[in-house]
């Protein structure tokens, strides 16, 4: 994860990094001009959010307000640069579920 010359680094966060954030990472990974990563904020997350990831990101998309609160509480010292955006997407979807993909494209698209 290096800082590309003119790439925008997008970090997607949810609780366990099993459904919403990995879906978002995959959906936007092929977009030109962006690098994507995803992680979770729960202790049992597949990929646990780290200070390194937070510092790497230009934009951090959290799925729910509770994720923003956890992110700010845990990584306040590392949130100097990244813009944090709450997508308000509940944990009601399966991995790569078409409705989730459509919702992500609608909510994330305007920021790219």
């Amino acid at each position: 994860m290096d800082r590309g010359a003119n790439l925008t680094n997008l970090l997607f966060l949810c609780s366990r990094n099993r459904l919403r954030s990995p879906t978002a990472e995959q959906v936007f990974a092929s977009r030109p001009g962006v690098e994507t990563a995803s992680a979770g904020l729960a202790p049992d997350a597949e990929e646990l959010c780290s200070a390194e990831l937070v510092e790497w990101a230009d934009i951090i998309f959290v799925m729910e307000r509770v994720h923003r609160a956890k992110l700010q509480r845990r990584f306040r010292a590392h949130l100097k640069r990244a813009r944090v955006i709450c997508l308000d997407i509940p944990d009601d979807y399966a991995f790569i579920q078409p409705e989730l993909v459509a919702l992500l494209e609608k909510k994330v698209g305007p920021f790219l």
Side-chain angles (χ1 to χ4, degrees):
M1 289 181 313
D2 61 332
R3 189 165 291 292
N6 45 6
L7 288 176
T8 300
N9 296 325
L10 309 178
L11 175 59
F12 296 95
L13 297 177
C14 64
S15 295
R16 293 185 181 82
N17 191 227
R18 295 193 180 120
L19 305 171
R20 292 172 290 175
S21 58
T23 295
E25 179 182 13
Q26 193 166 321
V27 166
F28 296 102
S30 59
R31 285 272 173 107
V34 301
E35 283 287 318
T36 60
S38 68
L41 292 160
D44 62 343
E46 295 290 317
E47 174 74 33
L48 196 56
C49 188
S50 66
E52 181 184 58
L53 269 175
V54 171
E55 289 177 354
W56 167 83
D58 295 307
I59 306 175
I60 300 173
F61 293 98
V62 296
M63 297 297 157
E64 300 174 44
R65 287 186 184 99
V66 66
H67 300 139
R68 185 198 320 249
K70 281 183 184 178
L71 175 70
Q72 289 172 334
R73 196 166 50 248
R74 216 173 290 165
F75 297 103
R76 183 177 309 281
H78 305 280
L79 279 168
K80 306 265 186 274
R81 208 177 57 73
R83 182 172 177 196
V84 179
I85 295 158
C86 182
L87 298 173
D88 284 315
I89 297 177
D91 195 5
D92 296 338
Y93 301 94
F95 180 67
I96 303 290
Q97 183 176 334
E99 293 84 354
L100 175 57
V101 170
L103 198 53
L104 286 164
E105 287 175 339
K106 178 182 162 205
K107 291 189 171 214
V108 174
F111 296 100
L112 303 183

